[in-house]
Amino acid sequence: MDKVRRILVHVCRESSAPQCARFVQSITGQFSSSEEDEVEVNCCLEENQFLLFRGEKGGGIPLRRPAFCPIKHLSITEAAAIPLDVQQRGVDVGVAVILQSANQRVLLTRRATGLRIFPNVWVPPGGHIEPDETLLDAGLRELQEETGLKLEPEDVSPQMLGLWESVYPPMLCRGSPQRHHIVSYMLLHSSHTHLQLQAGLRPEPAEVSGCLWADARLARAVVSATDGEEAAAPPELLDGLPASVRVSDVSVDGALSDSELPLDVLLSRAPSCGPDRERVSTGTKFALQLWIRSLDTHTHTHTHTHTHTHTL
């Protein structure tokens, strides 16, 4: 019997055939200079391969890695010391759903304490792509499995925001890389408000320990707490924000209860050493930044169209 296939990243360079990316290969680095951490690429899912390539006419979506990406900083010796079974894994593909409510809030979930990678970290719902799924199918399935929200493909207008190169542990000082992913952030617009969607939440406690709906003001403050940097968030971004944020805690049997989470937790940065802490993941901050940009673009376009119509 065939072993269950995993969807892996394949890189296309110029006109050559797609090559399966190696675990110790920086995907962002394949398309940029060694020091650049963001580049524009095109992507598609074909025959259970996630293909990344540069378009002939440019364009595409941003692919980003953190400045402290372990794969970027891996020495030849450190790469050789990675166990062979890990080295042979390839680079996995995940999809994460930025679910935007009709009143412009997005859903974040806190990963359960018992999860092997990134426990207690706030992220959008998401997970791996199964063989023969589309990115949208995978996103909607993971959304339902983790949160209980069942959305139909025709009810959402999907938009690919960007790609994130994720490695766990997230820094070399925390140990040798064990997982290497490209996460596809997909924006889904819902016609329901966050309160209507909240009423349908039935989180899976083995996956999710909390849920919150972030508006653009909170998202801007979270994004400003850049991981790997010490600078404090600009005071104007925090001005008027409450000291705590309302979240829904998930009990072991899946019941939801209202709770207050100190804002400082969501503004925590990834610690450079020692144990990790509850925080918003670095990749999620990147996705929230892209989401804010999409809101600003939409507002600008809408205003421009409205003004133009008004002057006719």
Side-chain angles (χ1 to χ4, degrees):
M1 209 170 99
D2 280 344
K3 197 175 158 190
V4 176
R5 293 167 300 163
R6 285 164 37 243
I7 309 299
L8 295 174
V9 172
H10 286 66
V11 175
C12 305
R13 301 297 302 272
E14 278 85 44
S15 55
S16 57
Q19 297 287 318
C20 187
R22 293 179 302 113
F23 182 87
V24 294
Q25 179 178 3
S26 170
I27 307 302
T28 311
Q30 287 299 296
F31 297 100
S32 66
S33 72
S34 60
E35 288 310 307
E36 271 184 305
D37 293 319
E38 186 171 321
V39 64
E40 290 219 329
V41 296
N42 299 82
C43 67
C44 65
L45 193 54
E46 272 183 19
E47 297 176 354
N48 290 318
Q49 296 180 352
F50 188 71
L51 304 178
L52 290 179
F53 56 96
R54 295 294 282 271
E56 288 178 18
K57 296 176 182 173
I61 55 172
L63 162 65
R64 188 170 177 82
R65 65 184 174 189
F68 49 80
C69 175
I71 298 289
K72 172 185 174 182
H73 295 286
L74 211 56
S75 70
I76 293 169
T77 313
E78 287 165 332
I82 294 173
L84 208 54
D85 62 323
V86 175
Q87 286 197 45
Q88 291 171 342
R89 279 188 64 87
V91 179
D92 289 288
V93 183
V95 61
V97 171
I98 304 291
L99 177 61
Q100 179 184 317
S101 67
N103 57 333
Q104 297 189 338
R105 294 186 180 221
V106 293
L107 177 63
L108 297 181
T109 58
R110 182 174 54 211
R111 289 172 57 80
T113 309
L115 292 174
R116 279 180 311 175
I117 69 170
F118 295 109
N120 294 322
V121 170
W122 288 91
V123 297
H128 284 98
I129 302 163
E130 301 289 346
D132 304 319
E133 276 187 321
T134 65
L135 285 168
L136 178 57
D137 289 343
L140 291 176
R141 175 183 53 74
E142 287 286 351
L143 179 68
Q144 184 176 1
E145 287 176 4
E146 291 187 6
T147 72
L149 289 174
K150 181 168 170 50
L151 302 182
E152 299 299 333
E154 57 272 17
D155 295 337
V156 292
S157 37
Q159 175 192 342
M160 188 65 84
L161 284 177
L163 305 170
W164 177 255
E165 185 164 8
S166 171
V167 180
Y168 185 84
M171 296 178 184
L172 271 179
C173 59
R174 298 237 184 93
S176 178
Q178 300 164 18
R179 292 286 185 272
H180 189 182
H181 285 80
I182 292 294
V183 181
S184 316
Y185 287 104
M186 184 180 288
L187 176 61
L188 300 183
H189 295 268
S190 170
S191 57
H192 299 292
T193 68
H194 78 285
L195 292 176
Q196 290 171 321
L197 291 165
Q198 174 76 16
L201 281 180
R202 303 287 183 275
E204 167 51 59
E207 302 260 358
V208 173
S209 67
C211 302
L212 72 82
W213 292 93
D215 61 12
R217 281 185 64 207
L218 175 58
R220 281 190 171 91
V222 168
V223 166
S224 72
T226 309
D227 291 325
E229 293 181 12
E230 297 299 320
E236 64 271 15
L237 284 179
L238 305 181
D239 197 28
L241 278 175
S244 63
V245 176
R246 177 167 289 186
V247 303
S248 300
D249 282 332
V250 183
S251 70
V252 287
D253 59 359
L256 294 176
S257 58
D258 281 349
S259 170
E260 293 288 324
L261 184 72
L263 178 63
D264 287 351
V265 172
L266 298 176
L267 301 184
S268 292
R269 292 173 164 85
S272 54
C273 57
D276 208 345
R277 58 165 75 110
E278 183 178 349
R279 60 186 174 87
V280 177
S281 82
T282 315
T284 302
K285 291 177 182 178
F286 164 69
L288 289 175
Q289 193 172 20
L290 296 175
W291 173 60
I292 292 163
R293 204 177 293 166
S294 80
L295 282 182
D296 292 344
T297 304
H298 177 76
T299 306
H300 175 77
T301 307
H302 183 75
T303 308
H304 180 76
T305 309
H306 182 75
T307 309
H308 183 68
T309 310
H310 197 66
T311 55
L312 289 178

